[in-house]
Amino acid sequence: MLRSVILRHSRTVTRNNWVASEWKRTFRSDNIEKQTGLFGNAELKTSKSLNKLPAAVKSSTDSLIQELLSPSSNPRTSIEIVDDISNEICKSADLVSCMFQDSKLKFYLFQAECVRQLHCESEFREAAENASRKFCELVESLNTNTALYQKLKSSEVTEASRLDDVDRRTLTLLLDDFEQSGVHLEDDQKSKFVQLSSEIFEAGARFQENCDRIVPVGKFDQAKYGLPSQIYSPVSNSLDRSKRKMVYNTFYRHDDQQEVYLRKLVSSRQELAQLTGFESFAHRAQRNSLLENYDNVRNFLWGVVEECRSAFEKELAVLIDVSTQCSQQVRNGDNDVSTIAEHDLGFLMHLYRESAYDIAKVSHESSQFFTFSSVWKGFSTLTQRLYGVRLIEDPINHGEMWNTAGVLKLKALDDQNNELGIIYADVSIRPEKAVGDCHYTVRCSKQLSNGTWQMPILVLSLGLVDGHSTEWKDSGISFHSAETMFHELGHAMHSILGRTKYQHVAGTRCPQDFSEIPSNLMEYFFSDLGVMRDIIRRPNQPNEQLPIESAATLLASRHSFTAIETVQQAAYGLYDLEVHGPIAAPQIASGRMTTTELFYDIMSKAMPHVQRSPDSAFQHRFHHTVQYGAKYYSYLVARASACLIWQQRFQNEPFSRKWGGCWAEVQSHGGGHPPAILLKKILGFRPTSKDLTHALSKESQHLANLDAVTV
């Protein structure tokens, strides 16, 4: 009914008290008459108004439930009424708890609410947290409402003649979500389901709390390596290889307590999966996904490793050459690729980029082209040429957002100037704002009873500029930040293009491996030399393009060592899959295997030429085990799909209105059709896991031809 909100680790950064108090003094507006409320909702002018939302929504949903369960005939189908219940909750709950995730019925409390994370007034943040808690209680009561589930289940038969393909798919997804909440189980099984769900939540929460723990450094190592008393990162850019090794292995040292939390998380998930009829949690997690089942996912990931291996080894050879120059190591006498240590990878890549591309100098020279304004306007130019959709800046009324410093309101318009949606971009770095770039869906698109479309509202949170600056819109941002903007704006455009009958499948509310495709495809457009120079223009000098040498250098640096990154991500995906799989999960649950042993085994097979310590426990700091749960691979599938779309449809004609219109139409369906069918609409065929693997392999082979350098 609502999307699944998974426990998400987040941090907030605070500055000194003077800055924080000054900021609050500047933007506090309790005593100022506001023109409107948050996101243009006149009912949300004060923090107290947030506390009234849950009761109002419950009243509306009670009426809809009564309509659904009424014995009298109803001109509306059950799925239409249940989706209206979901929409009533989402329109309000998403104001206070709206992190971008895919649609699911089960709703978990988490600490990443939109208002709580971004509003600069503590009263609003506290009210948002209280409202979120009440909404979670309301949703849990609906998730376990047997009468509601049975009515929806029976409608598969009793209303079959009134349902089309989208109705049936949405109904199936809703029933699946109900059943993943255990509503169909016997009473004793329900109790066990609730117990296991609580154990999963608690184990995940405790594990994530310790993922970013600070590591103390002993006096001896402080003196020997010139280190501070604590280590905050595994990265050391020291030329001393022994120091890099010590820092890396100390930071990722096996932690017994983290292993206890992981064992509990894995064992409870395994037991819950079997309670609901699945062989393992990894099997359960693949329902409705693009690759469909555990075996296909496993084959895809190992296929990526094998097909990218030759490109991986080419890149590794370049790093070994850099390492040899640094430490006078000797390469093996034969033609095999020699080994290199895991703790060396990041440092040697950094050293290569600095030497091969002089990236610091090029970044400085091109910085005048990459500003917040130039990037969003460049994105708008691209979408206008592809879809006929452009973004324009719109004034923010007082009270519409938490503040107007570092916050921009963009309207999306079509060729006939019809308004399609609103994007609020909060890009300031300020006290108490959560760290992390993300996309919030405040309100999605769906067809209303009068035939019109509900206006989508999106919020992008990015840490790019100093909001105190009067020139913040034209403040320079890094090349990486510009790429991230395209990614997040790609998510927003997916929601804006949505034209679905039901909110449950609107926009980004689709399987995770599909929801990341539009955002990844925008990165491919951004990374095309011709596209970048065409759409990114110097502020106030729109005829001036980024010099071709600078653009080419930035892109070459960005995509160097793509094969190593791809194989590494595939290995992480394999760990996340297998730790929840039918073989490893029972052994971990019983204590016959540790997650450190499993991780070492997978990494050694996937990256055999990279040395690592058997006691190194990267997975003890891997938040995504909790967040994704056997679906971390989804991002790689999305990237492969976007790569395939780019190669097949846009690489030779990046501004094609024909294929742009086709891709816009695909996005408009959200999750209303299976991902494979939607990909067939743009590709002309349903891609197999081999097709996706080949796309990544082709890309890696093309990018792996790196020149040797002198460091």
Side-chain angles (χ1 to χ4, degrees):
M1 186 179 305
L2 293 178
R3 71 206 180 297
S4 170
V5 183
I6 54 178
L7 181 67
R8 184 184 181 93
H9 171 77
S10 63
R11 293 176 296 166
T12 54
V13 175
T14 59
R15 308 279 156 55
N16 61 64
N17 291 335
W18 181 88
V19 175
S21 62
E22 188 67 14
W23 186 280
K24 291 178 180 179
R25 183 190 66 78
T26 302
F27 293 104
R28 179 171 293 282
S29 52
D30 288 346
N31 299 320
I32 302 175
E33 181 61 31
K34 296 179 178 179
Q35 292 176 275
T36 186
L38 284 173
F39 310 114
N41 186 334
E43 302 299 318
L44 297 177
K45 290 185 177 182
T46 67
S47 57
K48 293 180 180 179
S49 61
L50 287 175
N51 291 318
K52 299 177 182 178
L53 280 176
V57 170
K58 186 177 186 306
S59 177
S60 298
T61 56
D62 284 347
S63 297
L64 288 166
I65 291 172
Q66 185 176 2
E67 176 187 356
L68 176 70
L69 301 180
S70 174
S72 60
S73 60
N74 196 315
R76 300 206 297 160
T77 62
S78 295
I79 183 64
E80 289 174 342
I81 299 171
V82 172
D83 192 71
D84 278 353
I85 293 172
S86 179
N87 194 50
E88 282 296 313
I89 297 173
C90 282
K91 285 191 300 183
S92 295
D94 285 359
L95 294 171
V96 293
S97 56
C98 56
M99 179 65 69
F100 159 61
Q101 295 293 344
D102 55 327
S103 287
K104 296 292 176 189
L105 179 66
K106 184 139 185 173
F107 201 62
Y108 296 97
L109 179 61
F110 73 118
Q111 302 301 312
E113 302 94 341
C114 181
V115 174
R116 178 182 179 274
Q117 292 283 33
L118 303 182
H119 208 293
C120 20
E121 297 179 21
S122 60
E123 292 86 352
F124 270 91
R125 294 196 302 273
E126 291 168 4
E129 183 172 356
N130 291 332
S132 288
R133 191 173 294 109
K134 293 176 182 177
F135 277 124
C136 284
E137 293 171 359
L138 172 59
V139 173
E140 283 303 324
S141 70
L142 296 175
N143 286 343
T144 55
N145 188 319
T146 304
L148 198 159
Y149 166 73
Q150 291 176 342
K151 176 67 175 181
L152 203 57
K153 182 69 175 176
S154 65
S155 71
E156 287 185 299
V157 176
T158 60
E159 301 173 13
S161 62
R162 302 167 63 186
L163 305 178
D164 61 21
D165 288 344
V166 174
D167 297 330
R168 282 188 287 272
R169 173 169 169 79
T170 308
L171 177 56
T172 298
L173 291 173
L174 277 167
L175 289 171
D176 182 62
D177 290 342
F178 264 114
E179 290 167 5
Q180 289 202 41
S181 295
V183 70
H184 63 303
L185 300 174
E186 299 296 331
D187 288 343
D188 59 334
Q189 292 179 314
K190 282 183 183 179
S191 298
K192 184 63 175 177
F193 186 97
V194 171
Q195 176 192 334
L196 290 170
S197 297
S198 177
E199 291 174 358
I200 290 168
F201 184 90
E202 286 300 319
R206 301 291 80 76
F207 175 78
Q208 292 211 99
E209 285 175 359
N210 288 303
C211 280
D212 293 321
R213 64 195 180 282
I214 298 169
V215 179
V217 180
K219 294 291 186 181
F220 176 80
D221 287 330
Q222 290 181 46
K224 181 177 179 180
Y225 297 108
L227 291 170
S229 60
Q230 294 177 320
I231 294 177
Y232 299 86
S233 165
V235 179
S236 170
N237 286 329
S238 171
L239 287 172
D240 183 349
R241 194 178 191 195
S242 64
K243 179 177 179 179
R244 296 200 300 271
K245 179 179 180 180
M246 180 270 171
V247 170
Y248 187 91
N249 288 342
T250 299
F251 188 80
Y252 284 128
R253 183 186 299 130
H254 178 96
D255 184 280
D256 289 339
Q257 186 58 63
Q258 286 293 80
E259 185 66 21
V260 169
Y261 294 142
L262 266 183
R263 186 183 304 123
K264 187 62 177 177
L265 177 70
V266 169
S267 62
S268 296
R269 280 176 168 173
Q270 172 73 4
E271 195 172 350
L272 185 143
Q274 293 183 334
L275 181 67
T276 50
F278 294 91
E279 183 179 353
S280 72
F281 192 82
H283 286 79
R284 183 178 188 263
Q286 311 318 320
R287 298 179 75 171
N288 303 311
S289 68
L290 180 59
L291 295 184
E292 298 180 335
N293 60 60
Y294 163 81
D295 290 328
N296 287 346
V297 174
R298 191 173 186 275
N299 291 337
F300 165 74
L301 291 171
W302 279 117
V304 170
V305 170
E306 292 304 319
E307 288 211 27
C308 293
R309 189 176 299 283
S310 62
F312 173 91
E313 292 177 351
K314 285 182 182 179
E315 293 178 352
L316 205 62
V318 172
L319 293 182
I320 291 172
D321 180 61
V322 174
S323 179
T324 300
Q325 294 182 58
C326 291
S327 60
Q328 301 302 309
Q329 293 179 355
V330 179
R331 192 192 298 255
N332 286 351
D334 54 30
N335 293 324
D336 292 338
V337 176
S338 184
T339 57
I340 197 170
E342 191 172 41
H343 53 263
D344 291 327
L345 290 177
F347 167 72
L348 296 176
M349 288 179 190
H350 169 76
L351 201 59
Y352 178 90
R353 289 172 178 136
E354 286 295 324
S355 301
Y357 307 113
D358 198 4
I359 197 63
K361 178 182 177 182
V362 174
S363 297
H364 176 73
E365 292 174 347
S366 60
S367 61
Q368 56 194 320
F369 288 90
F370 294 103
T371 68
F372 169 64
S373 291
S374 70
V375 173
W376 78 254
K377 289 176 181 177
F379 182 87
S380 176
T381 299
L382 175 62
T383 56
Q384 185 169 13
R385 294 173 70 173
L386 287 175
Y387 315 137
V389 177
R390 72 187 191 279
L391 302 176
I392 63 168
E393 185 175 351
D394 196 50
I396 299 177
N397 293 320
H398 180 55
E400 188 175 358
M401 287 296 283
W402 26 90
N403 65 72
T404 55
V407 181
L408 190 72
K409 178 182 178 182
L410 299 172
K411 279 188 177 180
L413 305 175
D414 66 13
D415 284 337
Q416 288 75 45
N417 288 324
N418 296 310
E419 188 173 343
L420 303 178
I422 296 171
I423 301 173
Y424 295 98
D426 183 341
V427 299
S428 70
I429 302 170
R430 62 176 185 270
E432 301 174 0
K433 178 182 175 182
V435 172
D437 302 325
C438 54
H439 159 225
Y440 297 80
T441 302
V442 173
R443 187 173 69 199
C444 67
S445 173
K446 69 159 284 182
Q447 190 172 27
L448 302 175
S449 57
N450 62 5
T452 62
W453 300 98
Q454 183 169 272
M455 184 71 66
I457 299 175
L458 301 311
V459 176
L460 304 186
S461 176
L462 301 161
L464 301 178
V465 303
D466 178 3
H468 289 97
S469 171
T470 56
E471 304 295 326
W472 65 269
K473 293 180 183 179
D474 292 319
S475 295
I477 63 175
S478 69
F479 181 79
H480 174 72
S481 294
E483 182 184 57
T484 300
M485 275 186 65
F486 263 62
H487 182 98
E488 298 301 338
L489 284 166
H491 280 310
M493 188 58 64
H494 189 182
S495 293
I496 285 171
L497 292 171
R499 286 295 179 269
T500 53
K501 185 176 181 180
Y502 300 112
Q503 76 84 34
H504 187 71
V505 292
T508 55
R509 292 176 177 174
C510 53
Q512 194 163 32
D513 48 13
F514 188 83
S515 68
E516 288 288 343
I517 296 176
S519 54
N520 271 269
L521 185 58
M522 286 298 103
E523 292 187 31
Y524 278 94
F525 279 101
F526 180 80
S527 296
D528 182 81
L529 182 63
V531 173
M532 178 186 290
R533 296 190 69 238
D534 197 309
I535 66 176
I536 303 295
R537 300 300 180 100
R538 189 172 179 175
N540 303 320
Q541 297 184 39
N543 294 325
E544 187 173 349
Q545 291 182 309
L546 183 67
I548 190 168
E549 297 83 2
S550 297
T553 300
L554 288 169
L555 291 172
S557 174
R558 166 64 182 87
H559 295 292
S560 57
F561 305 107
T562 292
I564 291 178
E565 177 187 339
T566 300
V567 171
Q568 193 173 54
Q569 289 301 309
Y572 294 163
L574 280 163
Y575 162 76
D576 177 55
L577 182 74
E578 299 296 14
V579 79
H580 296 100
I583 298 175
Q587 294 185 51
I588 291 169
S590 64
R592 287 176 290 154
M593 176 192 288
T594 66
T595 63
T596 299
E597 291 169 338
L598 175 66
F599 186 78
Y600 179 80
D601 180 63
I602 289 173
M603 296 301 292
S604 297
K605 291 176 180 176
M607 302 169 65
H609 302 298
V610 178
Q611 293 178 336
R612 60 185 44 80
S613 168
D615 296 326
S616 180
F618 169 89
Q619 83 284 356
H620 282 174
R621 293 181 177 273
F622 193 53
H623 291 280
H624 300 303
T625 305
V626 177
Q627 298 171 7
Y628 286 86
K631 291 194 291 186
Y632 181 72
Y633 75 89
S634 297
Y635 184 84
L636 203 56
V637 169
R639 185 180 138 205
S641 301
C643 181
L644 198 58
I645 294 168
W646 173 257
Q647 292 170 357
Q648 295 277 333
R649 297 298 181 228
F650 294 108
Q651 190 168 32
N652 296 326
E653 195 178 355
F655 296 112
S656 170
R657 188 63 181 266
K658 172 188 174 182
W659 293 116
C662 179
W663 180 234
E665 193 266 334
V666 168
Q667 293 178 82
S668 73
H669 293 292
H673 296 289
I677 292 177
L678 292 176
L679 286 178
K680 184 178 179 180
K681 288 179 180 288
I682 182 67
L683 292 172
F685 62 92
R686 296 176 66 156
T688 64
S689 61
K690 288 186 177 179
D691 293 324
L692 298 175
T693 299
H694 180 69
L696 291 178
S697 173
K698 181 180 176 181
E699 178 184 58
S700 296
Q701 293 290 349
H702 173 68
L703 296 172
N705 297 312
L706 302 175
D707 296 326
V709 298
T710 301
V711 298

